[in-house]
Amino acid sequence: MPLDTAQTGPRPGRLASHETRQRLEHARNSRLAQLRALDESAQSTDAHLVSAQTEAIQRVLTEIDEAFARVEDDTYGICQGCAKPVPAERLEILPYTRYCVACQGRAAA
């Protein structure tokens, strides 16, 4: 559903694009480091556990890539559930989130 920017107005809590990209790059680099560490320890660890961890990290990497796309199309920081701004504090902690806390709870249910 396209957003009517006339109705949503300015997003004062929105992070600057440069800072947003830095946060997303940091999140991506952290997950890639985790994948490398898993690859290195794969010989001495339970294969099922490594596989589950790898899949979880790859899902987050996909979410990070999707967040970069939202930055590009200027929808970053807008909840995909309610179309309201996601609080800046939440984006600082989870820069690739698609939802505000309330909508995340509904999406997980």
Side-chain angles (χ1 to χ4, degrees):
M1 163 165 110
L3 293 175
D4 181 356
T5 54
Q7 288 183 352
T8 58
R11 298 182 290 236
R14 193 172 148 207
L15 297 173
S17 181
H18 177 72
E19 185 178 346
T20 298
R21 289 177 192 280
Q22 284 182 324
R23 289 182 192 281
L24 290 170
E25 283 293 339
H26 176 72
R28 177 189 284 153
N29 291 337
S30 295
R31 293 327 178 280
L32 291 172
Q34 290 174 335
L35 282 177
R36 283 190 298 275
L38 280 173
D39 285 344
E40 292 169 6
S41 68
Q43 300 296 333
S44 62
T45 310
D46 177 27
H48 178 71
L49 177 61
V50 170
S51 176
Q53 289 174 325
T54 299
E55 287 177 27
I57 293 169
Q58 288 173 337
R59 277 193 304 272
V60 172
L61 285 168
T62 298
E63 291 179 30
I64 291 168
D65 288 341
E66 290 170 354
F68 273 113
R70 290 192 301 277
V71 170
E72 291 300 315
D73 69 15
D74 203 33
T75 59
Y76 180 83
I78 300 298
C79 177
Q80 291 183 350
C82 65
K84 294 180 182 174
V86 175
E89 297 82 11
R90 179 163 171 78
L91 293 171
E92 287 176 21
I93 295 168
L94 202 60
Y96 49 86
T97 189
R98 295 178 287 156
Y99 300 107
C100 66
V101 173
C103 290
Q104 180 70 52
R106 287 191 288 273

XYZ file of all heavy atoms in Angstrom:
839
model
N 0.848 -1.168 0.000
C 0.000 0.000 0.000
C 0.894 1.231 0.000
O 1.676 1.425 0.920
C -0.882 -0.082 1.248
C -1.547 1.204 1.633
S -2.858 0.920 2.793
C -2.159 1.620 4.244
N 0.779 2.096 -1.020
C 1.625 3.287 -1.073
C 1.246 4.258 0.026
O 0.086 4.381 0.404
C 1.360 3.871 -2.455
C 0.214 3.133 -3.041
C -0.065 1.948 -2.190
N 2.226 4.955 0.502
C 1.998 5.940 1.549
C 1.667 7.286 0.936
O 2.309 7.708 -0.021
C 3.250 6.101 2.418
C 3.638 4.905 3.257
C 4.951 5.176 3.952
C 2.574 4.617 4.277
N 0.679 7.957 1.484
C 0.365 9.313 1.068
C 1.183 10.235 1.953
O 0.851 10.464 3.107
C -1.136 9.561 1.231
C -1.543 10.961 0.795
O -0.651 11.769 0.440
O -2.755 11.245 0.802
N 2.283 10.756 1.409
C 3.183 11.563 2.230
C 2.532 12.860 2.682
O 2.951 13.451 3.665
C 4.497 11.870 1.486
O 4.185 12.464 0.239
C 5.311 10.608 1.291
N 1.493 13.293 2.007
C 0.803 14.498 2.448
C 0.111 14.246 3.789
O 0.006 15.133 4.615
C -0.216 14.941 1.397
N -0.355 13.011 3.999
C -1.033 12.687 5.250
C -0.051 12.326 6.356
O -0.311 12.591 7.514
C -2.005 11.528 5.053
C -3.225 11.923 4.253
C -4.200 10.774 4.148
O -3.917 9.649 4.535
N -5.368 11.040 3.598
N 1.068 11.703 6.007
C 2.004 11.300 7.045
C 2.870 12.457 7.500
O 3.364 12.456 8.599
C 2.919 10.140 6.566
O 3.616 10.557 5.399
C 2.121 8.893 6.295
N 3.079 13.446 6.626
C 3.827 14.639 6.989
C 5.288 14.347 7.239
O 5.784 13.265 6.964
N 6.012 15.324 7.765
C 7.446 15.125 8.024
C 7.656 14.111 9.129
O 6.805 13.917 9.981
C 7.938 16.511 8.418
C 6.724 17.223 8.896
C 5.554 16.639 8.159
N 8.811 13.478 9.108
C 9.125 12.459 10.103
C 10.275 12.978 10.961
O 11.436 12.707 10.671
C 9.490 11.157 9.410
C 8.323 10.622 8.593
C 8.655 9.328 7.948
N 9.621 9.503 6.888
C 9.448 9.120 5.646
N 8.350 8.542 5.285
N 10.388 9.302 4.751
N 9.955 13.732 12.011
C 11.008 14.355 12.803
C 11.922 13.363 13.498
O 13.084 13.649 13.725
C 10.240 15.202 13.823
C 8.872 14.613 13.874
C 8.622 14.018 12.515
N 11.441 12.177 13.831
C 12.266 11.201 14.521
C 13.121 10.376 13.579
O 13.896 9.544 13.997
N 12.983 10.616 12.306
C 13.697 9.825 11.305
C 15.196 10.115 11.353
O 15.615 11.246 11.447
C 13.139 10.186 9.941
C 13.555 9.256 8.883
C 12.796 9.578 7.636
N 13.701 9.260 6.552
C 13.677 9.822 5.392
N 12.806 10.732 5.132
N 14.525 9.468 4.475
N 15.978 9.062 11.299
C 17.429 9.211 11.322
C 17.927 9.744 9.989
O 17.335 9.488 8.952
C 18.089 7.854 11.592
C 17.777 7.208 12.921
C 18.371 5.805 12.950
C 18.312 8.022 14.059
N 19.016 10.466 10.017
C 19.626 10.941 8.787
C 20.029 9.741 7.937
O 20.432 8.710 8.453
C 20.831 11.807 9.112
N 19.933 9.888 6.640
C 20.223 8.785 5.721
C 21.630 8.222 5.927
O 21.817 7.007 5.936
C 20.040 9.259 4.290
O 20.295 8.220 3.389
N 22.614 9.089 6.103
C 23.993 8.629 6.301
C 24.107 7.794 7.575
O 24.715 6.722 7.573
C 24.936 9.830 6.356
C 26.360 9.462 6.626
N 27.152 8.828 5.675
C 27.132 9.606 7.731
C 28.345 8.603 6.195
N 28.360 9.070 7.437
N 23.523 8.272 8.646
C 23.562 7.541 9.913
C 22.812 6.214 9.795
O 23.262 5.192 10.312
C 22.956 8.393 11.030
C 23.062 7.747 12.388
C 22.505 8.609 13.502
O 22.269 9.801 13.292
O 22.316 8.058 14.605
N 21.698 6.233 9.104
C 20.926 5.006 8.884
C 21.759 3.974 8.150
O 21.828 2.811 8.552
C 19.652 5.319 8.080
O 18.847 6.221 8.836
C 18.868 4.062 7.768
N 22.413 4.396 7.071
C 23.250 3.477 6.304
C 24.389 2.927 7.161
O 24.728 1.747 7.067
C 23.806 4.178 5.073
C 22.758 4.459 4.033
C 23.361 5.239 2.862
N 22.355 5.763 1.987
C 21.734 5.061 1.058
N 22.046 3.797 0.889
N 20.821 5.605 0.302
N 24.978 3.776 8.010
C 26.055 3.308 8.892
C 25.546 2.241 9.853
O 26.213 1.228 10.066
C 26.652 4.474 9.680
C 27.569 5.346 8.875
C 28.166 6.453 9.731
O 27.521 6.992 10.626
N 29.419 6.772 9.456
N 24.378 2.459 10.426
C 23.806 1.472 11.350
C 23.525 0.159 10.637
O 23.779 -0.919 11.163
C 22.531 2.008 11.991
C 22.759 3.109 12.980
C 21.433 3.548 13.599
N 21.575 4.771 14.328
C 22.084 4.867 15.547
N 22.507 3.792 16.154
N 22.167 6.033 16.153
N 22.980 0.251 9.434
C 22.679 -0.960 8.671
C 23.960 -1.679 8.253
O 24.030 -2.911 8.320
C 21.823 -0.618 7.452
C 20.390 -0.182 7.762
C 19.725 0.361 6.509
C 19.587 -1.325 8.360
N 24.974 -0.929 7.843
C 26.261 -1.541 7.488
C 26.866 -2.249 8.697
O 27.397 -3.356 8.568
C 27.247 -0.493 6.955
C 26.985 -0.063 5.537
C 27.227 -1.157 4.511
O 27.956 -2.130 4.795
O 26.669 -1.034 3.407
N 26.783 -1.617 9.854
C 27.311 -2.240 11.071
C 26.558 -3.540 11.371
O 27.176 -4.571 11.693
C 27.211 -1.277 12.257
C 27.649 -1.883 13.544
N 28.974 -2.146 13.826
C 26.942 -2.317 14.618
C 29.060 -2.707 15.024
N 27.838 -2.820 15.518
N 25.230 -3.501 11.264
C 24.430 -4.706 11.509
C 24.796 -5.803 10.514
O 24.951 -6.969 10.885
C 22.940 -4.379 11.422
N 24.965 -5.429 9.238
C 25.336 -6.409 8.213
C 26.715 -7.000 8.510
O 26.905 -8.222 8.469
C 25.339 -5.775 6.824
C 25.791 -6.759 5.743
C 25.996 -6.095 4.413
N 24.709 -5.816 3.794
C 24.512 -4.843 2.925
N 25.494 -4.036 2.592
N 23.336 -4.677 2.379
N 27.690 -6.135 8.803
C 29.048 -6.618 9.074
C 29.089 -7.530 10.298
O 29.829 -8.517 10.309
C 30.005 -5.438 9.236
C 30.231 -4.715 7.926
O 30.047 -5.266 6.857
N 30.617 -3.450 8.011
N 28.298 -7.219 11.310
C 28.237 -8.071 12.499
C 27.704 -9.453 12.158
O 28.243 -10.465 12.605
C 27.344 -7.436 13.568
O 27.897 -6.234 14.025
N 26.639 -9.500 11.334
C 26.064 -10.796 10.956
C 27.019 -11.580 10.068
O 27.135 -12.791 10.195
C 24.725 -10.610 10.241
C 23.580 -10.051 11.073
C 23.612 -10.471 12.520
N 22.578 -9.921 13.350
C 22.562 -8.703 13.877
N 23.524 -7.844 13.626
N 21.594 -8.323 14.678
N 27.731 -10.893 9.167
C 28.701 -11.600 8.322
C 29.840 -12.164 9.161
O 30.308 -13.286 8.911
C 29.234 -10.661 7.238
C 28.219 -10.269 6.161
C 28.796 -9.192 5.251
C 27.763 -11.479 5.363
N 30.257 -11.440 10.188
C 31.294 -11.949 11.097
C 30.778 -13.179 11.849
O 31.522 -14.145 12.053
C 31.724 -10.862 12.067
N 29.508 -13.154 12.238
C 28.919 -14.312 12.906
C 28.918 -15.524 11.978
O 29.211 -16.643 12.418
C 27.493 -13.999 13.364
C 27.426 -13.019 14.516
C 25.990 -12.619 14.837
O 25.097 -12.677 13.981
N 25.773 -12.200 16.073
N 28.573 -15.301 10.715
C 28.591 -16.414 9.756
C 29.995 -16.982 9.591
O 30.173 -18.209 9.551
C 28.059 -15.957 8.388
C 26.555 -15.831 8.251
C 26.196 -15.292 6.868
C 25.867 -17.165 8.500
N 31.000 -16.110 9.509
C 32.380 -16.593 9.387
C 32.772 -17.408 10.619
O 33.404 -18.456 10.504
C 33.348 -15.418 9.197
C 33.327 -14.851 7.791
C 34.460 -13.868 7.549
N 34.401 -12.702 8.408
C 33.683 -11.602 8.159
N 32.973 -11.533 7.054
N 33.694 -10.586 8.992
N 32.395 -16.940 11.796
C 32.716 -17.657 13.029
C 32.025 -19.023 13.043
O 32.620 -20.017 13.474
C 32.316 -16.833 14.249
N 30.792 -19.074 12.571
C 30.087 -20.359 12.501
C 30.784 -21.307 11.541
O 30.922 -22.495 11.825
C 28.635 -20.156 12.063
C 27.661 -19.699 13.132
C 26.310 -19.388 12.511
C 27.522 -20.745 14.225
N 31.206 -20.789 10.400
C 31.920 -21.628 9.424
C 33.193 -22.197 10.036
O 33.529 -23.362 9.826
C 32.268 -20.823 8.170
C 31.059 -20.587 7.290
O 30.036 -21.286 7.472
O 31.138 -19.703 6.418
N 33.900 -21.369 10.796
C 35.157 -21.809 11.407
C 34.940 -22.847 12.502
O 35.772 -23.718 12.703
C 35.916 -20.606 11.968
C 36.434 -19.670 10.892
C 36.959 -18.364 11.434
O 37.028 -18.204 12.678
O 37.300 -17.484 10.626
N 33.813 -22.756 13.201
C 33.569 -23.687 14.300
C 32.692 -24.867 13.883
O 32.380 -25.718 14.703
C 32.911 -22.961 15.473
O 31.598 -22.553 15.128
N 32.305 -24.917 12.630
C 31.379 -25.952 12.166
C 31.893 -27.362 12.401
O 31.112 -28.283 12.630
C 31.068 -25.745 10.680
N 33.190 -27.561 12.355
C 33.760 -28.896 12.546
C 33.540 -29.418 13.963
O 33.364 -30.598 14.168
C 35.262 -28.871 12.241
C 35.601 -28.437 10.829
C 35.067 -29.401 9.777
O 34.884 -30.584 10.045
N 34.823 -28.896 8.590
N 33.566 -28.517 14.940
C 33.497 -28.959 16.334
C 32.136 -28.722 16.985
O 31.998 -28.870 18.185
C 34.579 -28.223 17.146
O 34.330 -26.836 17.109
N 31.138 -28.352 16.187
C 29.832 -28.014 16.739
C 28.757 -28.895 16.107
O 28.932 -29.403 15.005
C 29.516 -26.529 16.459
O 30.627 -25.735 16.857
C 28.304 -26.054 17.220
N 27.645 -29.026 16.801
C 26.498 -29.775 16.307
C 26.023 -29.179 14.973
O 25.697 -27.999 14.884
C 25.392 -29.714 17.358
C 24.111 -30.391 16.922
O 24.171 -31.325 16.097
O 23.038 -29.995 17.427
N 25.987 -29.994 13.938
C 25.637 -29.530 12.593
C 24.228 -28.937 12.544
O 23.986 -27.949 11.852
C 25.768 -30.668 11.590
N 23.291 -29.526 13.285
C 21.919 -29.020 13.298
C 21.876 -27.613 13.898
O 21.197 -26.725 13.367
C 21.009 -29.974 14.078
C 19.595 -29.498 14.163
N 18.750 -29.492 13.074
C 18.885 -28.995 15.205
C 17.580 -29.003 13.440
N 17.637 -28.705 14.726
N 22.611 -27.406 14.980
C 22.659 -26.098 15.635
C 23.281 -25.059 14.711
O 22.772 -23.950 14.559
C 23.440 -26.184 16.947
C 23.627 -24.874 17.716
C 22.287 -24.293 18.120
C 24.500 -25.112 18.938
N 24.379 -25.410 14.061
C 25.053 -24.498 13.133
C 24.110 -24.139 11.989
O 24.011 -22.976 11.584
C 26.370 -25.103 12.609
C 26.933 -24.270 11.464
C 27.385 -25.218 13.731
N 23.391 -25.110 11.477
C 22.455 -24.867 10.385
C 21.348 -23.902 10.816
O 21.011 -22.969 10.085
C 21.847 -26.184 9.923
O 20.869 -25.959 8.937
N 20.795 -24.106 11.996
C 19.737 -23.231 12.506
C 20.256 -21.808 12.713
O 19.583 -20.834 12.357
C 19.167 -23.789 13.808
N 21.452 -21.696 13.273
C 22.036 -20.372 13.487
C 22.325 -19.682 12.155
O 22.083 -18.489 12.000
C 23.316 -20.479 14.315
C 23.061 -20.848 15.764
C 24.350 -21.099 16.526
O 25.318 -21.625 15.986
N 24.348 -20.727 17.797
N 22.833 -20.432 11.200
C 23.132 -19.874 9.881
C 21.860 -19.363 9.214
O 21.835 -18.262 8.656
C 23.826 -20.922 8.988
O 25.057 -21.310 9.620
C 24.109 -20.389 7.601
N 20.790 -20.141 9.280
C 19.514 -19.723 8.688
C 18.994 -18.451 9.347
O 18.513 -17.545 8.658
C 18.478 -20.836 8.805
C 18.721 -21.989 7.864
C 17.712 -23.108 8.057
O 16.577 -22.821 8.517
O 18.046 -24.256 7.738
N 19.099 -18.357 10.672
C 18.634 -17.165 11.389
C 19.436 -15.934 10.981
O 18.866 -14.861 10.738
C 18.721 -17.385 12.900
N 20.733 -16.084 10.871
C 21.590 -14.965 10.472
C 21.280 -14.558 9.032
O 21.210 -13.358 8.716
C 23.073 -15.318 10.658
C 23.390 -15.465 12.151
C 23.969 -14.256 10.019
C 24.754 -16.080 12.441
N 21.052 -15.521 8.167
C 20.737 -15.204 6.772
C 19.399 -14.480 6.658
O 19.233 -13.584 5.818
C 20.773 -16.464 5.916
C 22.193 -16.945 5.705
C 22.287 -18.295 5.011
O 21.358 -19.097 5.032
N 23.433 -18.551 4.405
N 18.430 -14.826 7.520
C 17.152 -14.108 7.531
C 17.371 -12.645 7.915
O 16.793 -11.740 7.307
C 16.163 -14.768 8.502
C 15.421 -15.952 7.909
C 14.244 -16.370 8.774
N 14.604 -16.679 10.152
C 15.000 -17.873 10.581
N 15.098 -18.879 9.737
N 15.300 -18.061 11.848
N 18.222 -12.414 8.918
C 18.510 -11.041 9.337
C 19.233 -10.288 8.220
O 18.929 -9.121 7.957
C 19.315 -11.004 10.657
C 19.783 -9.591 10.972
C 18.485 -11.550 11.804
N 20.160 -10.945 7.534
C 20.845 -10.292 6.415
C 19.845 -9.890 5.326
O 19.958 -8.812 4.735
C 21.931 -11.200 5.845
C 23.189 -11.322 6.696
C 24.074 -12.459 6.193
C 23.960 -10.005 6.725
N 18.849 -10.726 5.085
C 17.803 -10.385 4.121
C 17.017 -9.172 4.607
O 16.719 -8.257 3.822
C 16.862 -11.587 3.898
O 17.616 -12.666 3.350
C 15.714 -11.236 2.956
N 16.697 -9.135 5.896
C 15.982 -7.989 6.462
C 16.815 -6.715 6.341
O 16.269 -5.632 6.076
C 15.613 -8.250 7.919
C 14.549 -9.316 8.085
C 14.213 -9.579 9.552
O 14.326 -8.642 10.369
O 13.848 -10.714 9.870
N 18.118 -6.828 6.518
C 19.005 -5.672 6.380
C 18.992 -5.180 4.937
O 18.882 -3.966 4.682
C 20.429 -6.012 6.861
C 20.426 -6.218 8.388
C 21.418 -4.918 6.463
C 21.709 -6.828 8.936
N 19.083 -6.096 3.979
C 19.021 -5.705 2.567
C 17.692 -5.019 2.249
O 17.649 -4.023 1.509
C 19.211 -6.915 1.654
C 20.641 -7.428 1.654
O 21.557 -6.675 2.047
O 20.837 -8.600 1.260
N 16.610 -5.526 2.813
C 15.296 -4.908 2.596
C 15.251 -3.511 3.223
O 14.627 -2.596 2.671
C 14.193 -5.798 3.159
C 14.007 -7.077 2.365
C 13.099 -8.085 3.040
O 12.674 -7.865 4.209
O 12.813 -9.128 2.416
N 15.918 -3.332 4.357
C 15.974 -2.015 4.990
C 16.734 -1.023 4.115
O 16.332 0.138 3.989
C 16.614 -2.108 6.375
N 17.835 -1.480 3.493
C 18.561 -0.610 2.558
C 17.625 -0.179 1.414
O 17.648 0.974 0.990
C 19.792 -1.315 1.982
C 21.022 -1.179 2.826
C 21.570 -2.286 3.450
C 21.655 0.045 2.987
C 22.720 -2.172 4.225
C 22.801 0.172 3.755
C 23.339 -0.942 4.375
N 16.806 -1.097 0.921
C 15.859 -0.765 -0.150
C 14.847 0.269 0.334
O 14.485 1.182 -0.415
C 15.152 -2.029 -0.645
N 14.401 0.158 1.592
C 13.466 1.142 2.134
C 14.119 2.516 2.264
O 13.460 3.537 2.068
C 12.900 0.670 3.478
C 11.955 -0.521 3.336
C 11.187 -0.807 4.610
N 12.012 -1.108 5.765
C 12.525 -2.286 6.058
N 12.333 -3.318 5.241
N 13.250 -2.466 7.153
N 15.415 2.539 2.580
C 16.131 3.822 2.615
C 16.085 4.442 1.226
O 15.805 5.634 1.067
C 17.593 3.638 3.092
C 18.392 4.916 2.887
C 17.639 3.225 4.561
N 16.343 3.624 0.219
C 16.372 4.118 -1.164
C 15.009 4.643 -1.624
O 14.939 5.640 -2.323
C 16.854 3.017 -2.124
C 18.315 2.676 -1.955
C 19.228 3.857 -2.190
O 19.030 4.602 -3.180
O 20.152 4.060 -1.372
N 13.937 3.947 -1.245
C 12.615 4.394 -1.717
C 11.903 5.300 -0.713
O 10.716 5.581 -0.839
C 11.744 3.220 -2.154
C 11.295 2.323 -1.004
O 11.391 2.720 0.176
O 10.840 1.198 -1.293
N 12.667 5.762 0.294
C 12.188 6.741 1.282
C 11.023 6.243 2.126
O 10.166 7.012 2.537
C 11.831 8.058 0.596
C 11.869 9.229 1.577
O 12.698 9.202 2.501
O 11.049 10.159 1.426
N 10.971 4.925 2.381
C 9.961 4.392 3.285
C 10.596 3.862 4.576
O 9.889 3.329 5.436
C 9.142 3.266 2.622
O 10.027 2.211 2.235
C 8.379 3.779 1.406
N 11.915 4.021 4.706
C 12.605 3.563 5.915
C 12.073 4.337 7.118
O 11.885 5.548 7.058
C 14.112 3.788 5.787
C 14.873 3.340 7.019
C 15.221 2.016 7.182
C 15.203 4.241 8.026
C 15.901 1.584 8.310
C 15.888 3.823 9.155
C 16.227 2.500 9.295
O 16.887 2.081 10.420
N 11.830 3.616 8.202
C 11.358 4.254 9.426
C 9.854 4.378 9.515
O 9.339 4.914 10.487
N 9.150 3.870 8.515
C 7.689 3.865 8.529
C 7.234 2.435 8.766
O 7.644 1.513 8.064
C 7.113 4.383 7.196
C 7.565 5.818 6.935
C 5.593 4.282 7.175
C 7.101 6.811 7.980
N 6.399 2.242 9.774
C 5.911 0.906 10.116
C 5.109 0.325 8.958
O 4.217 0.986 8.412
C 5.047 0.982 11.377
S 4.329 -0.602 11.843
N 5.417 -0.898 8.583
C 4.696 -1.558 7.503
C 3.347 -2.094 7.964
O 2.549 -2.536 7.147
C 5.543 -2.676 6.902
C 6.739 -2.138 6.154
C 7.568 -3.225 5.493
O 7.374 -4.413 5.726
N 8.501 -2.807 4.668
N 3.091 -2.016 9.254
C 1.796 -2.455 9.765
C 0.790 -1.330 9.854
O -0.334 -1.444 9.370
N 1.193 -0.203 10.445
C 0.256 0.899 10.694
C 0.593 2.170 9.920
O -0.156 3.144 9.989
C 0.184 1.203 12.183
S 1.735 1.839 12.881
N 1.726 2.183 9.215
C 2.175 3.328 8.406
C 2.528 4.558 9.242
O 2.614 5.652 8.714
C 1.148 3.678 7.329
N 2.745 4.370 10.536
C 3.197 5.470 11.395
C 4.714 5.388 11.541
O 5.304 4.331 11.337
C 2.535 5.375 12.770
C 1.038 5.593 12.724
C 0.433 5.497 14.099
C -1.082 5.672 14.019
N -1.720 5.440 15.323
N 5.349 6.492 11.917
C 6.806 6.447 12.100
C 7.208 5.471 13.210
O 6.567 5.415 14.263
C 7.167 7.878 12.494
C 6.040 8.711 11.971
C 4.813 7.839 12.068
N 8.254 4.706 12.948
C 8.837 3.832 13.970
C 9.704 4.740 14.838
O 10.485 5.535 14.315
C 9.695 2.722 13.315
C 10.393 1.881 14.377
C 8.842 1.857 12.402
N 9.573 4.647 16.171
C 10.381 5.516 17.035
C 11.879 5.377 16.757
O 12.389 4.273 16.530
C 10.042 5.030 18.444
C 8.686 4.400 18.316
C 8.678 3.778 16.937
N 12.572 6.510 16.767
C 14.012 6.533 16.482
C 14.777 5.620 17.429
O 15.747 4.980 17.023
C 14.539 7.964 16.572
N 14.334 5.535 18.681
C 15.011 4.674 19.649
C 14.965 3.223 19.213
O 15.924 2.487 19.376
C 14.376 4.823 21.046
C 14.485 6.201 21.636
C 13.429 7.189 21.133
O 12.457 6.762 20.457
O 13.593 8.387 21.401
N 13.839 2.797 18.652
C 13.709 1.411 18.177
C 14.623 1.186 16.973
O 15.275 0.148 16.858
C 12.254 1.105 17.815
C 12.050 -0.314 17.279
C 10.589 -0.701 17.338
N 10.304 -1.939 16.660
C 10.540 -3.159 17.130
N 11.082 -3.303 18.326
N 10.226 -4.239 16.435
N 14.692 2.160 16.085
C 15.556 2.044 14.909
C 17.029 2.037 15.298
O 17.840 1.421 14.616
C 15.268 3.176 13.923
C 13.894 3.116 13.260
C 13.640 4.391 12.475
C 13.764 1.892 12.379
N 17.381 2.711 16.388
C 18.768 2.687 16.857
C 19.148 1.287 17.332
O 20.255 0.823 17.093
C 18.964 3.694 17.989
C 18.972 5.134 17.525
C 19.062 6.118 18.666
O 19.510 5.729 19.764
O 18.671 7.272 18.460
N 18.224 0.627 18.000
C 18.474 -0.708 18.545
C 18.365 -1.774 17.463
O 19.165 -2.701 17.399
C 17.485 -1.011 19.688
C 17.739 -0.053 20.852
C 17.581 -2.460 20.141
C 16.649 -0.060 21.899
N 17.384 -1.645 16.600
C 17.084 -2.639 15.566
C 16.913 -1.908 14.232
O 15.796 -1.690 13.763
C 15.802 -3.384 15.956
C 15.540 -4.741 15.383
C 16.640 -5.730 15.762
C 14.207 -5.258 15.875
N 18.024 -1.494 13.617
C 17.925 -0.602 12.451
C 17.220 -1.184 11.234
O 16.816 -0.445 10.352
C 19.393 -0.282 12.127
C 20.182 -1.381 12.732
C 19.407 -1.831 13.940
N 17.025 -2.480 11.191
C 16.388 -3.101 10.034
C 14.937 -3.470 10.292
O 14.289 -4.105 9.462
C 17.179 -4.338 9.586
C 17.521 -5.281 10.720
C 16.637 -6.260 11.125
C 18.732 -5.164 11.387
C 16.936 -7.112 12.165
C 19.044 -6.014 12.430
C 18.147 -6.986 12.818
O 18.457 -7.816 13.859
N 14.384 -3.038 11.436
C 13.008 -3.400 11.758
C 12.026 -2.816 10.753
O 12.246 -1.742 10.198
C 12.622 -2.974 13.189
O 11.358 -3.549 13.498
C 12.549 -1.470 13.330
N 10.960 -3.545 10.527
C 9.908 -3.092 9.606
C 8.699 -2.566 10.362
O 7.819 -1.964 9.757
C 9.451 -4.243 8.713
C 10.531 -4.729 7.788
C 10.066 -5.903 6.965
N 9.985 -7.083 7.827
C 9.213 -8.138 7.596
N 8.448 -8.173 6.542
N 9.219 -9.163 8.410
N 8.660 -2.835 11.672
C 7.457 -2.551 12.440
C 7.735 -1.765 13.715
O 8.811 -1.886 14.300
C 6.787 -3.869 12.867
C 6.380 -4.755 11.734
C 7.087 -5.921 11.456
C 5.283 -4.456 10.947
C 6.711 -6.752 10.412
C 4.899 -5.292 9.898
C 5.613 -6.434 9.646
O 5.240 -7.253 8.628
N 6.726 -1.032 14.165
C 6.759 -0.466 15.514
C 6.548 -1.631 16.482
O 6.234 -2.755 16.058
C 5.660 0.604 15.667
S 3.965 -0.015 15.588
N 6.683 -1.393 17.767
C 6.583 -2.473 18.759
C 5.197 -3.126 18.717
O 5.081 -4.357 18.714
C 6.911 -1.956 20.172
C 6.639 -3.022 21.223
C 8.365 -1.509 20.251
N 4.146 -2.324 18.667
C 2.774 -2.880 18.679
C 2.529 -3.767 17.462
O 2.009 -4.880 17.584
C 1.760 -1.748 18.740
N 2.922 -3.290 16.290
C 2.700 -4.077 15.070
C 3.614 -5.291 15.011
O 3.218 -6.327 14.472
C 2.864 -3.197 13.836
S 1.528 -1.981 13.642
N 4.808 -5.191 15.574
C 5.711 -6.350 15.614
C 5.068 -7.462 16.434
O 5.125 -8.631 16.054
C 7.054 -5.965 16.229
C 8.026 -7.132 16.306
C 8.523 -7.563 14.938
O 8.997 -6.727 14.183
N 8.426 -8.829 14.629
N 4.438 -7.082 17.550
C 3.750 -8.079 18.382
C 2.633 -8.764 17.622
O 2.469 -9.980 17.718
N 1.889 -8.002 16.840
C 0.807 -8.599 16.033
C 1.378 -9.468 14.927
O 0.830 -10.515 14.605
C -0.089 -7.504 15.462
C -0.984 -6.856 16.518
C -2.038 -5.983 15.875
N -1.488 -4.745 15.320
C -1.315 -3.626 15.998
N -1.626 -3.573 17.286
N -0.829 -2.550 15.427
N 2.487 -9.048 14.308
C 3.077 -9.813 13.210
C 3.643 -11.140 13.708
O 3.641 -12.133 12.990
C 4.188 -8.993 12.536
N 4.138 -11.151 14.947
C 4.743 -12.366 15.511
C 3.684 -13.350 15.997
O 3.962 -14.528 16.143
C 5.687 -12.013 16.654
N 2.489 -12.864 16.242
C 1.421 -13.721 16.788
C 0.850 -14.661 15.773
O 1.056 -14.647 14.633
C 0.306 -12.866 17.371
